[in-house]
Amino acid sequence: ETGVTQTPRHLVMGMTNKKSLKCEQHLGHNAMYWYKQSAKKPLELMFVYSLEERVENNSVPSRFSPECPNSSHLFLHLHTLQPEDSALYLCASSQDQQWGNTEAFFGQGTRLTVV
Amino acid sequence: GENVEQHPSTLSVQEGDSAVIKCTYSDSASNYFPWYKQELGKRPQLIIDIRSNVGEKKDQRIAVTLNKTAKHFSLHITETQPEDSAVYFCAASITGGATNKLIFGTGTLLAVQP
């Protein structure tokens, strides 16, 4: 266990459904990330939160909506997804400091299938 | 923004041989370069990292070198073993601004043949 927990581990949803992915970290980190992992782009940065404030939206479609209610929790709300959104969604956290990153710890990921 | 390129995409070596994976980055402001290993069905995990004030770092069978002038860095694995088989990702991170963010390369699938 790395201290980063993602739920659910697997999710199958229809294109008209609304679902949410959850990430929780117990490492006291101040930055959290969503990455998409697919065959085409193995580790694609989606969103970055630092001190609960979104500081990066890497040109992600609006059908993906992140939420960071506190420094330990991160959500990814999904609605009207497309089949090409099927992928492994990885959450990560790190302790950002002025002099640079520290190690990013990844969760196990949520395997999402859009049908 | 930062762009990280990684080569090769696949690498097959015989057990005991060395493996080298190379990455280049675009933003000269990047100053932190970690390497992650992802075994099949598992999460990426850090194996070694290097900061821009160091040219080389070694940890047992793995080493990383950094050439800031050329903006490239490499992972070296010596005496490879079957358990080294995995996907390896390099990354670059920029300090400063609102936060830091890790941009990953496209990964290298390493297969160590027994």
Side-chain angles (χ1 to χ4, degrees), chain B residues 20-61:
Chain B
V20 180
I21 303 170
K22 298 181 179 181
C23 288
T24 61
Y25 59 99
S26 60
D27 195 323
S28 56
S30 292
N31 61 357
Y32 175 65
F33 307 92
W35 287 87
Y36 284 78
K37 175 184 180 182
Q38 186 175 26
E39 297 177 359
L40 186 63
K42 297 189 177 181
R43 72 191 83 194
Q45 291 191 284
L46 180 75
I47 55 171
I48 194 168
D49 56 15
I50 191 168
R51 297 196 179 273
S52 57
N53 59 346
V54 177
E56 185 174 358
K57 185 176 179 180
K58 191 173 181 180
D59 183 4
Q60 299 182 343
R61 294 187 299 108

Side-chain angles (χ1 to χ4, degrees), chain B residues 1-112:
Chain B
E2 175 66 282
N3 182 51
V4 178
E5 294 189 359
Q6 183 172 347
H7 300 280
S9 56
T10 59
L11 179 59
S12 181
V13 299
Q14 289 295 123
E15 183 177 358
D17 287 350
S18 295
V20 180
I21 303 170
K22 298 181 179 181
C23 288
T24 61
Y25 59 99
S26 60
D27 195 323
S28 56
S30 292
N31 61 357
Y32 175 65
F33 307 92
W35 287 87
Y36 284 78
K37 175 184 180 182
Q38 186 175 26
E39 297 177 359
L40 186 63
K42 297 189 177 181
R43 72 191 83 194
Q45 291 191 284
L46 180 75
I47 55 171
I48 194 168
D49 56 15
I50 191 168
R51 297 196 179 273
S52 57
N53 59 346
V54 177
E56 185 174 358
K57 185 176 179 180
K58 191 173 181 180
D59 183 4
Q60 299 182 343
R61 294 187 299 108
I62 58 173
V64 58
T65 58
L66 171 65
N67 184 328
K68 285 190 295 182
T69 303
K71 289 190 284 189
H72 65 70
F73 55 114
S74 301
L75 178 71
H76 305 254
I77 306 174
T78 59
E79 300 172 24
T80 53
Q81 301 168 3
E83 52 265 37
D84 294 329
S85 297
V87 178
Y88 291 81
F89 293 96
C90 63
S93 174
I94 305 172
T95 302
T99 190
N100 309 304
K101 54 182 179 180
L102 277 176
I103 303 299
F104 285 87
T106 49
T108 297
L109 175 60
L110 173 64
V112 179

Side-chain angles (χ1 to χ4, degrees), chain A residues 1-5 9 31 33 35 37 40-43 45 48-50 55-56 58 88 90 96-109, chain B residues 2 31-32 34 36 38 41-47 49 51 87-108:
Chain A
E1 268 315 310
T2 63
V4 181
T5 305
R9 293 289 306 276
Y33 311 78
Y35 284 89
Q37 187 170 38
K40 287 186 177 181
K41 293 184 180 181
L43 270 176
L45 180 64
V48 180
Y49 275 82
S50 178
V55 295
E56 181 80 14
N58 209 30
L88 180 69
L90 287 162
D96 272 2
Q97 303 176 13
Q98 200 166 9
W99 49 269
N101 268 85
T102 56
E103 177 179 356
F105 290 84
F106 285 85
Q108 289 276 30
Chain B
E2 175 66 282
N31 61 357
Y32 175 65
Y36 284 78
Q38 186 175 26
K42 297 189 177 181
R43 72 191 83 194
Q45 291 191 284
L46 180 75
I47 55 171
D49 56 15
R51 297 196 179 273
V87 178
Y88 291 81
F89 293 96
C90 63
S93 174
I94 305 172
T95 302
T99 190
N100 309 304
K101 54 182 179 180
L102 277 176
I103 303 299
F104 285 87
T106 49
T108 297

